[in-house]
Amino acid sequence: MLGATVLERFAIAVASTLLALLLGSLVVAASGYNPVRFGYALVYGAFGSLSNVAFMLRQSTMLILAGVAVAVAFRAGVFNIGVQGQFVVGGFATALTVLFLAPHLPGGALGGVLLVCLGTVAAVLSGGAYAAIPGLMKAYADANEVITTIMLNFIASGVIFFLVNGYLRPPDAVAPNTQPFPDYVDLPSVAFASPSFSVIGLGIALATVVVAYVVVNRTRFGYDLVTAGHQQAAAAYSGVDPERNVVATMVFSGMIAGLAGAVFAVMILGYYSDPATFPRFGFDAIAVSLLAANNPLGVVPAGLLFGSLDAGGQYIDFTLNIPAELVDGIIGLVVLFVATPELFRMAGRHTGLGGRGSKESRSGQPESDGGDEA
Amino acid sequence: MSVADFSRRHRLRIGAAAALLAVVVVAALLDLPGAQLLTVGTAERTLRSATPIALAAIGGLYAEKSGVFNIGLEGFMIFGALAAAAAAWMLSGGGSITQAQLWFGIAAAVVVCSVLTAVFAVLTIRYEADQIVAGLAVWFIGLGFGPFVATVIWGGVSSPVLPNVDNVTVPGLASIPVLGRLLFDVSPLVLLTILVAVVAWVVLYRTRYGYWVQAAGENPEALDTAGVDVNRVRYASVVLSGALAGLAGASLSIGFGSGFTGTGATMVDGRGWIAIVAYLFGNYNPLGAFGASLLFGATDMLQIQLQTIGVSLPSSITELFPYVTVLVVLTLVGYTRVPDAVGEPYETEE
């Protein structure tokens, strides 16, 4: 997709999503459910009430943050599939910081702000450090980062479950959960009366988008990062150390993933638990980033779209009894189609005169002629 | 292959061997009773545990040898595990499942995964999809639709407890010490895997078709000039990788396991990814991939062995051994020499 223009990317993203939803509806119908009720419930679950909107925005906040983490790495040609693991590690660092420092700091609003800030710093640092491992392995041992990051996801989950279950779980607790954070450690609710969503969380996500965009597009570091991703030789010629660049990219990506972990721990959970039970934001974020053509700004609409799908999916699970996993499958289909822009280019060419594909072809075809150089 | 290239690879092998030796030395220093670790039971469990990894690895290496990186093995294994359990269960009408029905389930898994990989092959070969991203998509689709389909069939993300395939016991030979238990009283899937590894080796290195597969990945232009349809060779190799991944998945759910589990990362638990590392470690040689799978199988089984000899490590930690081993192996071996044309779509110039 790197050679395509913005308009063509947009057309492909829209067409991929629609095609995936269409296939999802066919699966729904084939499984004996009513696809019209499915579609209605999907939309109602995301936008039907104020609390549904709050839930949708909460999922979107997480997907935007994790999506930016994925995007900055993909932008540099590094496949960070380990955002989930870095997110889990970051959240755990936040939980440790909050639980261990809370007795030593003043309570109330001041203590809350302090603990949230310190917890966030811990998350950012530990997320970056955890991402440095596959970065170093790729840079200096030529180990494929797709596989190392996936292995590190499993390892993060297993080790943190072991620590939470064995050392942080109160003796009388049934579930493998830590103590809850003190009440004052939370992002205050503004506008929505939801215990697990705060507009401040969404604000952090949007601020992160802006920072990532500026870093990628307006700084020396970002310039090196993107050139190294697209033109190895040119980057090396201009004095970029490719090994160091890979590590720096992973660390930058992991720091954002760690921040996502902090928001998850503070805003959504308010305690810490078995990471195997957490939502797979880090994986869905890969779809978010791809749909956004790995552009940090594009992650916002893509994150909102997948946040809506996610919220709608959970709604259909408990109202229509259609398993929410269906939405995960649909997200997988979106990734598959986004990976295959040629499918839509060909469809556009073949149905150039009217028909279902005319919208894609009209916006896609003229650009594809000029944009094929990559 | 140049001399420098060879020596580099050689050095990595030596490094890997040194690492294994280090593990043994550490075990000796910690005074672990080695004799109790290396029992016939361990060997048998290792073979079983290696089976799904080896099957997926051998398929994956054929695909990559031919020029298509099938990184979706994990996803195809999920579909295989589900299809096998679902087909056997449906055929029995929800009652007790016979051995014949189990074998039908295994066949169904192979067919289903072959069809799915055919679609994957069309997208990557004909429509030139990004192989890494499309492979990840296959994984996500498996993680989503696997439990979804299970819920539609069984009303929950996992199947009820299902029986598994009986061992093959050769009367008489089975009573030979050690070998008898390993080879003559064994799951047919283990024997099948050994057979697949040997046949895959012979075909790849001793037949004309094997040379076509290698040429499709190394030098597609030359193969094209010789009048062989490059993409047809690639389609066949990718579909083979799907068929074997299906078999691998089936071996997990109804070969050795007791049905399909759809929770967490599903019952495949990263074995598809480990399979990729297994064939890299085996340097794209089917027998090497089988050997590497045995290594991962052994680390997977280590937990049971440690428990039986009374070394108390929590299972949440011992379960991580295979993943850590993958990291160690990948760091030592790095990316072995990938076939030249992997990831590049081939278009004939007519």
Side-chain angles (χ1 to χ4, degrees):
Chain A
M1 288 194 64
L2 293 173
T5 63
V6 172
L7 203 59
E8 196 195 13
R9 282 170 182 166
F10 183 73
I12 287 169
V14 170
S16 297
T17 312
L18 291 179
L19 190 56
L21 278 171
L22 180 73
L23 279 177
S25 310
L26 287 178
V27 171
V28 165
S31 316
Y33 299 103
N34 181 340
V36 177
R37 281 183 66 196
F38 162 74
Y40 175 76
L42 206 58
V43 173
Y44 186 86
F47 305 103
S49 72
L50 207 57
S51 68
N52 290 3
V53 172
F55 186 77
M56 181 274 281
L57 288 176
R58 167 192 135 169
Q59 301 301 88
S60 301
T61 299
M62 296 311 303
L63 289 171
I64 290 169
L65 273 170
V68 176
V70 174
V72 294
F74 276 34
R75 208 66 202 278
V78 181
F79 286 97
N80 183 6
I81 315 300
V83 165
Q84 181 75 12
Q86 293 138 23
F87 151 84
V88 160
V89 167
F92 182 64
T94 305
L96 279 186
T97 311
V98 169
L99 290 171
F100 280 96
L101 290 183
H104 308 291
L105 290 172
L110 176 67
V113 171
L114 260 177
L115 284 172
V116 169
C117 289
L118 290 171
T120 305
V121 170
V124 169
L125 293 179
S126 56
Y130 201 60
I133 302 171
L136 290 166
M137 289 175 69
K138 179 181 171 68
Y140 298 104
D142 214 9
N144 184 323
E145 79 277 20
V146 173
I147 295 165
T148 54
T149 50
I150 288 169
M151 295 297 119
L152 286 163
N153 287 340
F154 283 110
I155 292 171
S157 240
V159 170
I160 288 171
F161 169 75
F162 167 71
L163 294 174
V164 169
N165 190 44
Y167 299 98
L168 297 167
R169 162 185 179 168
D172 51 338
V174 186
N177 295 339
T178 67
Q179 303 259 13
F181 299 168
D183 288 341
Y184 52 85
V185 179
D186 197 10
L187 299 180
S189 315
V190 185
F192 294 95
S194 161
S196 65
F197 173 70
S198 162
V199 175
I200 295 172
L202 182 60
I204 293 172
L206 296 177
T208 309
V209 166
V210 174
V211 169
Y213 179 80
V214 170
V215 168
V216 168
N217 291 290
R218 296 276 182 276
T219 65
R220 171 75 210 234
F221 169 68
Y223 178 79
D224 289 350
L225 184 144
V226 176
T227 357
H230 293 206
Q231 312 218 293
Q232 278 283 342
Y237 187 71
S238 70
V240 177
D241 176 346
E243 278 82 29
R244 195 182 298 166
N245 200 58
V246 164
V247 180
T249 302
M250 279 302 276
V251 170
F252 183 41
S253 170
M255 287 167 82
I256 301 172
L259 175 63
V263 172
F264 179 69
V266 170
M267 183 179 86
I268 296 183
L269 281 187
Y271 60 93
Y272 219 64
S273 186
D274 174 10
T277 63
F278 291 171
R280 288 195 279 250
F281 291 124
F283 294 145
D284 290 350
I286 294 166
V288 170
S289 176
L290 289 171
L291 202 60
N294 303 329
N295 180 333
L297 292 184
V299 163
V300 175
L304 285 168
L305 172 72
F306 281 124
S308 314
L309 274 176
D310 219 39
Q314 308 225 6
Y315 183 78
I316 59 165
D317 199 350
F318 65 83
T319 53
L320 300 185
N321 244 342
I322 301 180
E325 283 86 4
L326 173 69
V327 171
D328 296 334
I330 292 176
I331 287 175
L333 287 174
V334 175
V335 176
L336 187 63
F337 295 137
V338 170
T340 321
E342 207 47 38
L343 191 67
F344 298 102
R345 290 207 190 100
M346 285 193 189
R349 278 198 285 273
H350 286 303
T351 56
L353 299 168
R356 202 182 54 80
S358 64
K359 203 188 89 210
E360 290 127 50
S361 64
R362 231 176 287 141
S363 57
Q365 185 133 28
E367 281 80 30
S368 70
D369 295 333
D372 267 351
E373 74 274 2
Chain B
M1 181 169 55
S2 73
V3 177
D5 191 28
F6 181 80
S7 68
R8 178 171 175 271
R9 211 186 289 157
H10 217 63
R11 201 176 63 221
L12 292 166
R13 284 299 158 73
I14 293 165
L20 287 177
L21 190 68
V23 171
V24 174
V25 170
V26 168
L29 288 178
L30 289 173
D31 204 22
L32 293 177
Q36 274 173 273
L37 280 178
L38 296 171
T39 60
V40 179
T42 312
E44 191 192 3
R45 277 192 291 274
T46 298
L47 273 172
R48 282 171 170 246
S49 180
T51 289
I53 300 171
L55 288 169
I58 291 165
L61 84 85
Y62 261 74
E64 190 160 340
K65 271 273 179 194
S66 81
V68 180
F69 191 7
N70 183 354
I71 207 168
L73 290 175
E74 176 89 7
F76 292 120
M77 283 174 77
I78 296 176
F79 281 115
L82 173 72
W89 188 82
M90 284 173 167
L91 202 67
S92 75
S96 63
I97 297 173
T98 63
Q99 286 293 312
Q101 286 162 343
L102 286 178
W103 281 103
F104 180 84
I106 290 172
V110 171
V111 171
V112 166
C113 287
S114 301
V115 171
L116 291 175
T117 32
V119 176
F120 176 76
V122 170
L123 289 177
T124 49
I125 297 170
R126 166 101 164 77
Y127 292 103
E128 303 177 6
D130 183 308
Q131 292 175 1
I132 303 252
V133 177
L136 283 172
V138 170
W139 184 33
F140 295 154
I141 293 168
L143 280 176
F145 284 133
F148 171 78
V149 174
T151 312
V152 170
I153 298 174
W154 295 297
V157 291
S158 302
S159 75
V161 173
L162 304 177
N164 57 34
V165 175
D166 283 343
N167 275 9
V168 176
T169 310
V170 183
L173 291 177
S175 53
I176 300 172
V178 185
L179 267 187
R181 239 183 102 192
L182 280 184
L183 292 177
F184 302 110
D185 179 18
V186 70
S187 167
L189 287 162
V190 169
L191 296 177
L192 187 60
T193 305
I194 296 172
L195 184 70
V196 165
V198 172
V199 171
W201 184 86
V202 171
V203 170
L204 193 60
Y205 293 117
R206 293 288 180 273
T207 67
R208 198 167 48 147
Y209 184 74
Y211 289 123
W212 289 355
V213 171
Q214 300 193 48
E218 293 289 355
N219 194 343
E221 291 81 9
L223 189 62
D224 195 15
T225 312
V228 178
D229 185 337
V230 172
N231 284 340
R232 190 179 286 181
V233 173
R234 288 184 173 179
Y235 277 118
S237 301
V238 175
V239 171
L240 173 74
S241 75
L244 288 179
L247 190 58
S251 80
L252 283 170
S253 63
I254 59 174
F256 310 122
S258 49
F260 176 77
T261 313
T263 51
T266 78
M267 63 190 323
V268 180
D269 275 332
R271 287 184 181 84
W273 303 103
I274 294 176
I276 293 171
V277 178
Y279 73 71
L280 293 179
F281 191 35
N283 203 22
Y284 298 92
N285 180 323
L287 296 179
F290 183 71
S293 305
L294 286 176
L295 169 71
F296 292 124
T299 55
D300 193 16
M301 284 300 109
L302 204 54
Q303 50 170 322
I304 296 176
Q305 225 44 42
L306 287 175
Q307 273 161 21
T308 46
I309 62 171
V311 177
S312 62
L313 277 175
S315 65
S316 52
I317 293 302
T318 51
E319 276 164 14
L320 305 178
F321 286 169
Y323 310 130
V324 175
T325 314
V326 164
L327 292 182
V328 172
V329 165
L330 260 190
T331 310
L332 291 174
V333 177
Y335 223 148
T336 41
R337 211 189 67 76
V338 179
D340 274 340
V342 161
E344 289 168 20
Y346 183 72
E347 281 171 32
T348 39
E349 281 147 43
E350 285 148 314

